[in-house]
Amino acid sequence: MQDVIQAAGGVVWRDTGGSIDVVLCSRYQKDSSDLFVLPKGHVELGESIEDAAVREVKEETGLAVRIGSAALPNIRYNVRSRENNKSSPKVVYFYLMTEIGGNFLNHDEEFDEVGWFPIAEAEKLLTYDNHREVLAAAIEILS
């Protein structure tokens, strides 16, 4: 049986007094439309999934976050190894999160920009359907 690659991330949200904003990470792509995703990344050996989610969101966005009590759906897909071209299953665990500090200026170099987006705009901008499904679940919880 193949090892499952694990990753974790979150839907970071804020109430702006009448509407909800969420954080998206974006990268410019020369030959296609720009990439917009929810922050997420790998789980390190010996690290809990929740700790990985908080760490990865901080690395990719610059924000310190707290995980909320509501669970979001996981997403599953296969990834190809660059070394041997073999396909492996991957699961990404997502959490609803709120900002408790930090600054977008401190995000890592993986993305060109990180920012707050009105939730309706974020739904349209997200590149991957499975990220839209996670956001839809977050919207349902927050409504």
Side-chain angles (χ1 to χ4, degrees), residues 100-112:
I100 57 173
N103 189 304
F104 289 140
L105 296 174
N106 297 323
H107 75 84
D108 65 16
E109 296 178 1
E110 184 172 347
F111 294 102
D112 296 313

PDB file of all heavy atoms in Angstrom, residues 100-112:
ATOM      1  N   ILE A 100      -4.914  36.167  14.246  1.00  0.00           N
ATOM      2  CA  ILE A 100      -4.639  36.687  15.588  1.00  0.00           C
ATOM      3  C   ILE A 100      -3.401  37.589  15.600  1.00  0.00           C
ATOM      4  O   ILE A 100      -2.999  38.072  16.642  1.00  0.00           O
ATOM      5  CB  ILE A 100      -4.488  35.546  16.625  1.00  0.00           C
ATOM      6  CG1 ILE A 100      -3.386  34.566  16.212  1.00  0.00           C
ATOM      7  CG2 ILE A 100      -5.822  34.843  16.834  1.00  0.00           C
ATOM      8  CD1 ILE A 100      -3.065  33.514  17.271  1.00  0.00           C
ATOM      9  N   GLY A 101      -2.809  37.802  14.436  1.00  0.00           N
ATOM     10  CA  GLY A 101      -1.635  38.661  14.344  1.00  0.00           C
ATOM     11  C   GLY A 101      -0.927  38.458  13.020  1.00  0.00           C
ATOM     12  O   GLY A 101      -1.413  37.777  12.126  1.00  0.00           O
ATOM     13  N   GLY A 102       0.259  39.046  12.921  1.00  0.00           N
ATOM     14  CA  GLY A 102       1.058  38.897  11.707  1.00  0.00           C
ATOM     15  C   GLY A 102       0.737  39.949  10.666  1.00  0.00           C
ATOM     16  O   GLY A 102      -0.015  40.890  10.907  1.00  0.00           O
ATOM     17  N   ASN A 103       1.326  39.745   9.480  1.00  0.00           N
ATOM     18  CA  ASN A 103       1.221  40.741   8.421  1.00  0.00           C
ATOM     19  C   ASN A 103       1.497  40.062   7.090  1.00  0.00           C
ATOM     20  O   ASN A 103       2.426  39.266   6.976  1.00  0.00           O
ATOM     21  CB  ASN A 103       2.243  41.845   8.683  1.00  0.00           C
ATOM     22  CG  ASN A 103       2.080  43.020   7.764  1.00  0.00           C
ATOM     23  OD1 ASN A 103       2.106  42.880   6.546  1.00  0.00           O
ATOM     24  ND2 ASN A 103       1.935  44.192   8.353  1.00  0.00           N
ATOM     25  N   PHE A 104       0.711  40.407   6.065  1.00  0.00           N
ATOM     26  CA  PHE A 104       0.922  39.831   4.732  1.00  0.00           C
ATOM     27  C   PHE A 104       2.333  40.089   4.198  1.00  0.00           C
ATOM     28  O   PHE A 104       2.830  39.329   3.371  1.00  0.00           O
ATOM     29  CB  PHE A 104      -0.085  40.385   3.731  1.00  0.00           C
ATOM     30  CG  PHE A 104      -1.494  39.892   3.922  1.00  0.00           C
ATOM     31  CD1 PHE A 104      -2.561  40.759   3.774  1.00  0.00           C
ATOM     32  CD2 PHE A 104      -1.758  38.571   4.229  1.00  0.00           C
ATOM     33  CE1 PHE A 104      -3.868  40.310   3.925  1.00  0.00           C
ATOM     34  CE2 PHE A 104      -3.052  38.111   4.390  1.00  0.00           C
ATOM     35  CZ  PHE A 104      -4.114  38.988   4.230  1.00  0.00           C
ATOM     36  N   LEU A 105       2.969  41.154   4.658  1.00  0.00           N
ATOM     37  CA  LEU A 105       4.321  41.462   4.178  1.00  0.00           C
ATOM     38  C   LEU A 105       5.322  40.365   4.532  1.00  0.00           C
ATOM     39  O   LEU A 105       6.397  40.291   3.939  1.00  0.00           O
ATOM     40  CB  LEU A 105       4.799  42.794   4.756  1.00  0.00           C
ATOM     41  CG  LEU A 105       3.999  44.027   4.320  1.00  0.00           C
ATOM     42  CD1 LEU A 105       4.481  45.254   5.075  1.00  0.00           C
ATOM     43  CD2 LEU A 105       4.083  44.230   2.819  1.00  0.00           C
ATOM     44  N   ASN A 106       4.959  39.522   5.494  1.00  0.00           N
ATOM     45  CA  ASN A 106       5.869  38.465   5.942  1.00  0.00           C
ATOM     46  C   ASN A 106       5.607  37.113   5.285  1.00  0.00           C
ATOM     47  O   ASN A 106       6.122  36.096   5.740  1.00  0.00           O
ATOM     48  CB  ASN A 106       5.775  38.326   7.460  1.00  0.00           C
ATOM     49  CG  ASN A 106       6.230  39.593   8.151  1.00  0.00           C
ATOM     50  OD1 ASN A 106       7.153  40.257   7.714  1.00  0.00           O
ATOM     51  ND2 ASN A 106       5.543  39.950   9.219  1.00  0.00           N
ATOM     52  N   HIS A 107       4.806  37.093   4.195  1.00  0.00           N
ATOM     53  CA  HIS A 107       4.552  35.801   3.538  1.00  0.00           C
ATOM     54  C   HIS A 107       5.802  35.320   2.816  1.00  0.00           C
ATOM     55  O   HIS A 107       6.665  36.104   2.440  1.00  0.00           O
ATOM     56  CB  HIS A 107       3.338  35.872   2.603  1.00  0.00           C
ATOM     57  CG  HIS A 107       3.562  36.586   1.298  1.00  0.00           C
ATOM     58  ND1 HIS A 107       4.110  35.967   0.201  1.00  0.00           N
ATOM     59  CD2 HIS A 107       3.298  37.858   0.932  1.00  0.00           C
ATOM     60  CE1 HIS A 107       4.169  36.827  -0.805  1.00  0.00           C
ATOM     61  NE2 HIS A 107       3.691  37.986  -0.376  1.00  0.00           N
ATOM     62  N   ASP A 108       5.900  33.996   2.621  1.00  0.00           N
ATOM     63  CA  ASP A 108       7.083  33.435   1.967  1.00  0.00           C
ATOM     64  C   ASP A 108       7.058  33.715   0.460  1.00  0.00           C
ATOM     65  O   ASP A 108       6.128  34.349  -0.052  1.00  0.00           O
ATOM     66  CB  ASP A 108       7.235  31.944   2.284  1.00  0.00           C
ATOM     67  CG  ASP A 108       6.121  31.082   1.724  1.00  0.00           C
ATOM     68  OD1 ASP A 108       5.361  31.539   0.843  1.00  0.00           O
ATOM     69  OD2 ASP A 108       6.002  29.924   2.163  1.00  0.00           O
ATOM     70  N   GLU A 109       8.067  33.226  -0.242  1.00  0.00           N
ATOM     71  CA  GLU A 109       8.210  33.539  -1.662  1.00  0.00           C
ATOM     72  C   GLU A 109       7.434  32.601  -2.578  1.00  0.00           C
ATOM     73  O   GLU A 109       7.502  32.743  -3.798  1.00  0.00           O
ATOM     74  CB  GLU A 109       9.689  33.522  -2.045  1.00  0.00           C
ATOM     75  CG  GLU A 109      10.479  34.602  -1.343  1.00  0.00           C
ATOM     76  CD  GLU A 109      11.958  34.560  -1.679  1.00  0.00           C
ATOM     77  OE1 GLU A 109      12.376  33.693  -2.471  1.00  0.00           O
ATOM     78  OE2 GLU A 109      12.688  35.405  -1.148  1.00  0.00           O
ATOM     79  N   GLU A 110       6.680  31.665  -2.013  1.00  0.00           N
ATOM     80  CA  GLU A 110       5.931  30.724  -2.854  1.00  0.00           C
ATOM     81  C   GLU A 110       4.868  31.435  -3.691  1.00  0.00           C
ATOM     82  O   GLU A 110       4.555  31.026  -4.801  1.00  0.00           O
ATOM     83  CB  GLU A 110       5.283  29.642  -1.996  1.00  0.00           C
ATOM     84  CG  GLU A 110       4.586  28.581  -2.807  1.00  0.00           C
ATOM     85  CD  GLU A 110       4.103  27.409  -1.985  1.00  0.00           C
ATOM     86  OE1 GLU A 110       4.499  27.275  -0.803  1.00  0.00           O
ATOM     87  OE2 GLU A 110       3.331  26.619  -2.527  1.00  0.00           O
ATOM     88  N   PHE A 111       4.307  32.522  -3.139  1.00  0.00           N
ATOM     89  CA  PHE A 111       3.255  33.252  -3.842  1.00  0.00           C
ATOM     90  C   PHE A 111       3.677  34.686  -4.081  1.00  0.00           C
ATOM     91  O   PHE A 111       4.449  35.260  -3.319  1.00  0.00           O
ATOM     92  CB  PHE A 111       1.947  33.203  -3.040  1.00  0.00           C
ATOM     93  CG  PHE A 111       1.394  31.809  -2.961  1.00  0.00           C
ATOM     94  CD1 PHE A 111       1.557  31.053  -1.811  1.00  0.00           C
ATOM     95  CD2 PHE A 111       0.755  31.238  -4.042  1.00  0.00           C
ATOM     96  CE1 PHE A 111       1.077  29.758  -1.741  1.00  0.00           C
ATOM     97  CE2 PHE A 111       0.277  29.942  -3.983  1.00  0.00           C
ATOM     98  CZ  PHE A 111       0.432  29.199  -2.835  1.00  0.00           C
ATOM     99  N   ASP A 112       3.138  35.255  -5.165  1.00  0.00           N
ATOM    100  CA  ASP A 112       3.443  36.645  -5.489  1.00  0.00           C
ATOM    101  C   ASP A 112       2.654  37.611  -4.616  1.00  0.00           C
ATOM    102  O   ASP A 112       3.157  38.657  -4.233  1.00  0.00           O
ATOM    103  CB  ASP A 112       3.126  36.921  -6.970  1.00  0.00           C
ATOM    104  CG  ASP A 112       4.010  36.095  -7.890  1.00  0.00           C
ATOM    105  OD1 ASP A 112       5.236  36.049  -7.661  1.00  0.00           O
ATOM    106  OD2 ASP A 112       3.472  35.474  -8.820  1.00  0.00           O
TER     107      ASP A 112
END
